[in-house]
Amino acid sequence: MRFATMPNGTPDGRLHLVSRDNSRCTPCQTVATLQEALDAWDGLQGDLQREYDALNAGGGVPFDGTTALAPLPRAWQWLDGSVYESHGELLQAVFGLEPLEKTGRPLMYQGLSDRFQAPCEETKLPSEDDGIDFEGEFGVICKATPMGTKARAKDRIALVVQINDWSLRKLGPIEMKTGFGWIQAKPICSMAPVAVTPDELGEAWRDARVDLPLNVSWNGEKFGTPNGYEMAFGFDDLVAHAAYSRDLPAGTVIGSGTVSNTNFREVGSACIAERRGIEALDEGEAKTPFMSFGDNVRMECVAADGSPVFGAIAQKVVKA
C-alpha cells in the first residue's frame, strides 16, 4: 500500500491512499491520519487493503506530490543512523577526525521530530556560513515496538520512506566535541510525499534494505546515484538497536543516514560533505562549497522498471 498526507489546515493533515503508479489518490475512509493508522496498524490492514485495491481498480483524483505534506507530518521519535561505512570514512577525512573504533554497534542519534517538512517546502536556515548541506536517506516508520525486540524486529516495520536530513556541517564538529548530541547542527528534515509498505518495493526490499539508487541533483545538475543496499546494518538491526532499552511508540521514524557506496567515485554522493571528502582524499583539499541561499536540491528514487516509488523531494534553501 501507498500513503500520502494532504494539507487540510491541521498539523497532521488528511491521510490519502495513493495508487500503485503514484498517479491517483483518494482520502482514506478507515482513519483520518497516518498516526491513527499506525496506532492500530495490524488490526486495520484488511480495511486499508480493500481501500487500496479499490483505488487501483479505478477512481480517485489526480495525485500531485508537490502539494503534499510529509506522509507523517510529525512523529513521536526521529532516530537517525549512520550505517554506510564509506560515508563515515569520507567525513572523517573532510573534518580531520580520527577513525572511529568498530564496535559492532550502529551509530544513531535522536533528532528533531515535532515536524517533518513537506517534500517541496522551502527550507529556512539562519546563515550560509554554517555549511548548509543536504543528506539523502532512506527510512522506516515503525509500528509499536516493545523494548527488547530483536528476533522479529523486521516485522515492526510498517512503512518505508525517503528523507532529506538537512545538516549544518560547520556546527557538527563543534557540537560533537561537547560529548552531547547535535542540536544546532541538525535542523528540520523533510520526507518525500509517499510512504510505502515494504511489499510495494518487491525484490528491491532485500535484507531489510532498499536495493535501489537514490538520484540526487543540485541546482539541476546530477550529483549522485548511490544505491541504498550497502548498509552495514539493516533497518531490522536499527529497530532492534533503538528498542534495546525503550519501547518505540507507533510512528517512530528511523533513518539510514546518508546513502553512500564504496564506489563513490563512480556513483557520486548524496551529500556535499561526502564529495568534499573525496576531494580531500584525491586532491589534498575540499573544493566544492556548501549550499547558498537560493540553491535547489532534488532527490528521487525510482524502481528498476522506471516507475515512481516515494515521489520526489525538491527543495530550495532560503534565509530565515
Side-chain angles (χ1 to χ4, degrees):
M1 290 178 284
R2 300 187 179 210
F3 300 90
T5 295
M6 306 306 291
N8 67 348
T10 69
D12 297 307
R14 181 71 170 88
L15 182 63
H16 284 58
L17 288 147
V18 180
S19 63
R20 189 165 284 112
D21 61 359
N22 285 7
S23 68
R24 292 172 292 114
C25 67
T26 188
C28 182
Q29 301 304 309
T30 303
V31 290
T33 69
L34 184 55
Q35 184 61 56
E36 290 179 27
L38 290 162
D39 285 337
W41 188 256
D42 290 335
L44 298 178
Q45 289 304 288
D47 291 336
L48 293 172
Q49 187 66 52
R50 280 188 286 274
E51 288 194 53
Y52 184 59
D53 292 342
L55 174 62
N56 283 300
V61 299
F63 174 63
D64 180 2
T66 67
T67 65
L69 302 177
L72 188 63
R74 51 183 178 171
W76 289 109
Q77 287 189 103
W78 159 232
L79 307 174
D80 196 17
S82 181
V83 295
Y84 292 93
E85 292 182 343
S86 56
H87 175 73
E89 291 165 0
L90 286 168
L91 260 62
Q92 288 159 20
V94 75
F95 290 123
L97 303 174
E98 291 295 322
L100 293 175
E101 179 185 357
K102 293 187 177 181
T103 62
R105 294 165 57 87
L107 297 175
M108 184 176 287
Y109 77 94
Q110 186 158 352
L112 185 158
S113 64
D114 61 281
R115 191 172 78 86
F116 281 88
Q117 281 188 310
C120 296
E121 182 179 351
E122 289 186 342
T123 297
K124 299 176 181 179
L125 294 171
S127 174
E128 293 177 343
D129 294 336
D130 293 333
I132 302 168
D133 199 358
F134 49 82
E135 290 194 62
E137 306 189 10
F138 294 112
V140 296
I141 303 178
C142 300
K143 302 184 284 186
T145 302
M147 181 171 60
T149 294
K150 187 172 182 179
R152 300 182 64 84
K154 186 177 180 180
D155 296 340
R156 309 316 300 171
I157 295 171
L159 296 163
V160 186
V161 293
Q162 177 191 313
I163 295 168
N164 180 14
D165 175 33
W166 289 104
S167 289
L168 301 179
R169 295 297 190 186
K170 294 184 181 179
L171 299 179
I174 297 171
E175 293 192 308
M176 288 172 68
K177 290 177 182 178
T178 68
F180 279 65
W182 286 311
I183 297 295
Q184 293 181 337
K186 285 293 185 180
I188 194 170
C189 300
S190 57
M191 275 189 197
V194 180
V196 307
T197 51
D199 61 288
E200 289 287 318
L201 297 174
E203 294 181 355
W205 180 244
R206 187 160 69 93
D207 301 326
R209 296 161 168 85
V210 180
D211 189 6
L212 291 170
L214 181 57
N215 304 302
V216 181
S217 62
W218 179 15
N219 290 333
E221 296 186 4
K222 180 179 175 181
F223 195 82
T225 58
N227 187 286
Y229 183 74
E230 206 172 302
M231 298 169 70
F233 299 88
F235 280 112
D236 51 348
D237 299 315
L238 296 182
V239 171
H241 178 78
Y244 173 77
S245 59
R246 64 173 77 177
D247 296 328
L248 305 181
T252 294
V253 184
I254 298 179
S256 64
T258 304
V259 179
S260 177
N261 295 164
T262 52
N263 62 333
F264 43 74
R265 290 181 180 86
E266 289 77 41
V267 301
S269 303
C271 72
I272 300 170
E274 187 168 300
R275 176 177 283 188
R276 288 169 58 87
I278 297 169
E279 293 168 343
L281 291 175
D282 293 352
E283 304 174 46
E285 62 177 331
K287 298 179 178 179
T288 300
F290 289 110
M291 298 182 80
S292 299
F293 293 138
D295 282 3
N296 294 275
V297 64
R298 189 177 192 279
M299 305 175 180
E300 185 173 18
C301 173
V302 297
D305 63 2
S307 60
V309 183
F310 309 102
I313 293 172
Q315 295 184 282
K316 177 189 288 188
V317 61
V318 299
K319 183 171 178 57

